[in-house]
Amino acid sequence: MSEMQGKTITICIVDDIESIVEGIRTQVDWARHGMTVVGTALNGEDGLALIREHKPDIILTDIRMPKMDGMEMARIVREELPNSKVLLLTGYTDFHYAQQAVSMGVFDFVTKPFSLEQIEEAVLKAKRAVDESRLQSLKLHSLEQQAKEGIRMKRRHYLNMIVRHKADEASALAHWESLEMELDSTKLVA
């Protein structure tokens, strides 16, 4: 199993109706999907504090809550945790708010009344996006490491070459710039 596949996806659930929070938390087998609910909250302020503490991959939140609504919380999360996926729970009367939220970076929304299957499906869609993002990050990191190693090898090769052969100043400066070397090239030319 790769490192990316082995890392558990974390979820926070925020809704002002405790039975909804507990139902989503306990009635879906999140562990079966490689996911863990790291916390729940019953209002936006507590939810934001929880999110800041745990930095979850996926946030499932109601759009209308006391102390801070889901839209404001989602806006702050987008700024502070741009890789987290926010899913909004919304009633039909808030549908246009949910559409606005998607345009400002919310991953998706689920309309009330919803079934646990709809929640599970939406969260799994977000999980796939998190997995893909992690895979892309791993690939990028690998490419960066390969590039750094390539530059180190080129620097070694070039230094070996100038120790054994004469180099003119223009050639040395061109290599120095392209290899980003931190030595004084003028002391190494004939």
Side-chain angles (χ1 to χ4, degrees), residues 59 61 63 70-72 74-75 78 84-90 94-111 122 125:
I59 299 146
T61 184
I63 202 167
M71 292 283 282
E72 178 63 12
R75 185 191 63 73
R78 293 279 8 115
S84 291
K85 307 298 181 212
V86 177
L87 300 166
L88 288 177
L89 303 174
T90 179
D94 297 325
F95 187 73
H96 76 283
Y97 290 120
Q99 287 178 311
Q100 285 177 332
V102 169
S103 71
M104 67 177 227
V106 167
F107 183 76
D108 205 353
F109 59 91
V110 180
T111 54
K125 179 180 169 186

Side-chain angles (χ1 to χ4, degrees), residues 114-145:
F114 52 77
S115 67
L116 285 173
E117 290 79 20
Q118 289 172 306
I119 293 292
E120 189 173 8
E121 183 181 313
V123 171
L124 289 175
K125 179 180 169 186
K127 178 187 185 291
R128 288 188 293 274
V130 169
D131 284 341
E132 181 62 29
S133 178
R134 285 182 179 174
L135 181 60
Q136 292 302 322
S137 291
L138 286 173
K139 285 180 180 177
L140 181 59
H141 179 72
S142 176
L143 288 172
E144 287 171 347
Q145 293 302 84

Side-chain angles (χ1 to χ4, degrees), residues 2-111:
S2 77
E3 177 184 331
M4 179 208 57
Q5 292 169 324
K7 189 170 182 203
T8 300
I9 302 287
T10 56
I11 308 169
C12 281
I13 304 167
V14 185
D15 195 306
D16 59 330
I17 302 172
E18 190 170 3
S19 61
I20 289 177
V21 170
E22 285 305 301
I24 293 170
R25 185 181 71 76
T26 63
Q27 293 182 25
V28 176
D29 185 2
W30 297 114
R32 177 174 65 100
H33 300 296
M35 304 170 87
T36 301
V37 176
V38 293
T40 62
L42 298 175
N43 66 63
E45 283 182 2
D46 292 346
L48 186 58
L50 181 74
I51 290 162
R52 286 175 168 155
E53 177 185 349
H54 293 284
K55 297 177 178 31
D57 299 301
I58 299 172
I59 299 146
L60 189 59
T61 184
D62 192 3
I63 202 167
R64 289 193 186 262
M65 294 179 294
K67 298 187 181 178
M68 178 186 295
D69 68 21
M71 292 283 282
E72 178 63 12
M73 190 174 68
R75 185 191 63 73
I76 294 168
V77 167
R78 293 279 8 115
E79 291 173 6
E80 296 180 14
L81 300 169
N83 294 326
S84 291
K85 307 298 181 212
V86 177
L87 300 166
L88 288 177
L89 303 174
T90 179
Y92 286 111
T93 57
D94 297 325
F95 187 73
H96 76 283
Y97 290 120
Q99 287 178 311
Q100 285 177 332
V102 169
S103 71
M104 67 177 227
V106 167
F107 183 76
D108 205 353
F109 59 91
V110 180
T111 54

Side-chain angles (χ1 to χ4, degrees), residues 132-184:
E132 181 62 29
S133 178
R134 285 182 179 174
L135 181 60
Q136 292 302 322
S137 291
L138 286 173
K139 285 180 180 177
L140 181 59
H141 179 72
S142 176
L143 288 172
E144 287 171 347
Q145 293 302 84
Q146 290 173 12
K148 286 178 184 176
E149 183 57 30
I151 287 175
R152 279 193 289 271
M153 290 176 68
K154 284 183 175 184
R155 286 176 181 163
R156 260 187 251 129
H157 174 73
Y158 180 68
L159 287 173
N160 269 336
M161 188 181 79
I162 64 170
V163 166
R164 295 188 173 131
H165 306 285
K166 287 184 176 185
D168 63 86
E169 190 171 352
S171 173
L173 286 173
H175 280 90
W176 245 246
E177 287 177 16
S178 71
L179 297 175
E180 299 174 3
M181 296 181 75
E182 296 178 11
L183 297 171
D184 183 358

